[in-house]
Amino acid sequence: MKKLVYMDHAATTPVKSEVLDAMLPYFSEQFGNPSSLYALARVSKEAVENARAQVASAIGASPDEIFFTAGGSESDNWAIKGTAFANRKKGDHIITSAIEHHAVLHTCAYLETQGFSVTYLPVDRYGLVSPKDVEEAITDRTILVTVMAANNEIGTVQPIREIGRITRERGVPFHTDAVQAIGAVQIDVTEDAIDMLSLSGHKFYGPKGIGALYVRKGIRLGNLVHGGGQERRRRAGTENIPGIVGLGKAIEMATADIPGHTAKIAAMRDRLCAGILDAVPDTLLNGHPTLRLPNNINVSFRYIEGESILLMLDAHGICASTGSACSSASLEPSHVLLAVGLPHETAHGSLRLTLGDLNADGDVDYVLDVLPKVVERLRSMSPLYAARKGGV
Amino acid sequence: MYNETVMDHFMNPRNVGEMTDPDGVGEVGNPVCGDIMKIFLRIRDGRVEDATFMTFGCGAAIASSSMATELIRGKTLEEAWEITNTAVAGALQGLPPQKLHCSVLAEEGIHAAINDYRKKQRLEPWAETARAAHEEEAGGDAE
């Protein structure tokens, strides 16, 4: 069989066998609709409520503050649009950062077409949002601050507790997209003063198409999906029972021992990162040196382009990702890499490797063997590299 | 996302490398856009005796450079000038729509290299005039 080294855990993760086992009975045997009255339906209802408690406990919330959704994008859309439309009389100003996921940025851009105004806070060269900037951006028209807990591309972990304290003090609701942070960073919605939090199952070994939004009691939030009375009349639609059960099991496992689990991944990540920077000259680390997700490496190899790197790595069975324009349908380079100040040509040469449970020490050795050769080969074809060598 | 021919020309590119004392060099593209293509020509008796390239760019850009240099080798300068982006994309058995600009870059690279040669020979550079007619013709061929 062809060798496969999966280093794209920030894109998605495989469903853990324990999670799958927990889900399986809810497809064909315990298939009842929780809204029905008979005993069969009660089994489904109990499964949903059990999962709700698992999600709540993972982030320090109470179960009635957890609402299941179809994933991170729906949760972000709901939190932002639901807050905006419910608070229209109060204000029209939203604060976010320049490096949010598109589920947040494009939702904010949509709200701008509906008469809201949005402040996109800049980040420093490591991708950090400054809490002071948040504080200074708040006006008496501000109805929401939304800043991600950790960035999906460069892995920078944001000071959400400081931001939460500021927004709580100023009485402005604070939403955080924690899709990448769950299982990697300890989050406690009470300690961190978070009012709304988005999460997504498939980023921590749960199924795709299921997520949740935490909404603190007392937060004004309009509905996004209208219809039946599910989720205590907040989110219509018959519950995705197997998905919800899988999400509950997955988040319970992912948050059971965050320091122990992340230490193992971070050790592999640190060896791989140091090895790459050591073996390949003209390479820059993107993101923060220490305040970053334990599994994330994002580097730019100067003088070459990211899609070619991915294709050559794929030929060697290595799965990774890039912020190069050439790999995106829009032909725009990553907005995150541009926001941290990279010139376009350096953004084009970026490579993201995100480690996880599928990786072992041998994978680190394998990538350290293959990657420098791939970079060298592409540089040998690059007129920019030739000009740099000849031009010194 | 790429077909076998494109992948073959990407993984095993033909005619890569800088040429020493080329008779014509064309550099097109822009690092901001993520593609730079440099085409080197050796000309003997009005024919492309040798063509090589150096490219910074995606898989399609490298494959287009490789195919373009293959297509113009041995051709007269007039014939080489007629190689269009559609001919390059066609010889590669097609490129994804968002990657067609890579084949355009190849055509522009060839033209830049030929005109560099003509300038060095103190000849009038050829103009990009009959471009539309070429595309029509080559488009028909590619189908």
Side-chain angles (χ1 to χ4, degrees), chain B residues 53-143:
Chain B
F53 78 90
M54 293 285 276
T55 291
F56 160 82
C58 62
I62 289 171
S64 295
S65 314
S66 167
M67 183 54 87
T69 51
E70 282 287 274
L71 289 177
I72 61 173
R73 289 183 130 202
K75 298 274 196 308
T76 65
L77 285 179
E78 287 78 4
E79 288 165 344
W81 184 269
E82 301 289 318
I83 302 289
T84 60
N85 71 305
T86 5
V88 174
L92 286 169
Q93 314 289 329
L95 285 170
Q98 77 274 22
K99 296 291 186 179
L100 281 171
H101 72 274
C102 296
S103 59
V104 174
L105 207 60
E107 178 187 326
E108 290 171 356
I110 295 168
H111 287 182
I114 290 175
N115 272 338
D116 179 58
Y117 167 76
R118 290 184 59 84
K119 272 183 239 163
K120 283 176 181 160
Q121 302 300 309
R122 297 175 186 281
L123 297 166
E124 190 74 19
W126 284 336
E128 303 277 348
T129 45
R131 176 80 187 274
H134 288 166
E135 276 184 3
E136 224 166 84
E137 195 184 309
D141 287 344
E143 280 166 5

Side-chain angles (χ1 to χ4, degrees), chain A residues 175-385:
Chain A
H175 165 253
T176 189
D177 175 335
V179 165
Q180 294 288 338
I182 299 290
V185 180
Q186 199 79 50
I187 289 182
D188 184 301
V189 291
T190 310
E191 290 279 305
D192 297 335
I194 296 165
D195 296 310
M196 287 172 281
L197 177 145
S198 301
L199 59 88
S200 175
H202 74 106
K203 304 292 189 183
F204 45 82
Y205 309 94
K208 294 169 182 62
I210 188 75
L213 181 67
Y214 152 79
V215 184
R216 190 166 73 90
K217 266 184 224 97
I219 290 294
R220 271 172 71 92
L221 182 72
N223 287 0
L224 182 72
V225 181
H226 300 271
Q230 291 88 356
E231 297 295 284
R232 299 183 306 290
R233 302 187 181 279
R234 305 294 288 275
R235 197 274 191 183
T238 297
E239 296 86 343
N240 172 2
I241 312 291
I244 289 170
V245 168
L247 177 71
K249 182 71 184 168
I251 201 166
E252 185 182 79
M253 294 181 75
T255 53
D257 176 21
I258 294 176
H261 183 247
T262 56
K264 204 179 111 210
I265 304 285
M268 282 193 285
R269 188 275 312 269
D270 289 344
R271 187 164 75 87
L272 179 56
C273 192
I276 292 169
L277 294 172
D278 195 43
V280 187
D282 291 314
T283 303
L284 319 166
L285 179 67
N286 299 318
H288 198 281
T290 53
L291 297 174
R292 69 189 301 141
L293 290 172
N295 72 342
N296 174 289
I297 296 176
N298 190 309
V299 285
S300 282
F301 300 107
R302 300 184 70 182
Y303 315 115
I304 57 175
E305 189 280 322
E307 189 210 86
S308 335
I309 304 173
L310 292 196
L311 289 171
M312 285 207 176
L313 289 178
D314 183 43
H316 289 90
I318 299 171
C319 308
S321 111
T322 176
S324 169
C326 299
S327 74
S328 72
S330 62
L331 295 182
E332 284 292 323
S334 148
H335 65 285
V336 176
L337 296 176
L338 296 183
V340 298
L342 288 197
H344 279 73
E345 52 267 47
T346 319
H348 289 309
S350 76
L351 176 74
R352 182 188 72 179
L353 297 163
T354 44
L355 287 75
D357 287 0
L358 289 179
N359 300 128
D361 282 327
D363 296 343
V364 172
D365 297 323
Y366 181 67
V367 173
L368 283 176
D369 178 43
V370 171
L371 179 59
K373 290 177 196 158
V374 164
V375 173
E376 184 52 41
R377 184 163 157 69
L378 288 167
R379 281 183 175 167
S380 75
M381 296 184 212
S382 167
L384 295 177
Y385 189 61

Side-chain angles (χ1 to χ4, degrees), chain A residues 23-42:
Chain A
M23 293 169 67
L24 285 175
Y26 295 93
F27 283 97
S28 301
E29 297 155 42
Q30 304 297 344
F31 64 90
N33 187 328
S35 300
S36 307
L37 287 175
Y38 32 76
L40 177 71
R42 280 202 296 278

Side-chain angles (χ1 to χ4, degrees), chain A residues 2 111 123 278 292:
Chain A
K2 199 184 153 192
L111 287 175
V123 292
D278 195 43
R292 69 189 301 141

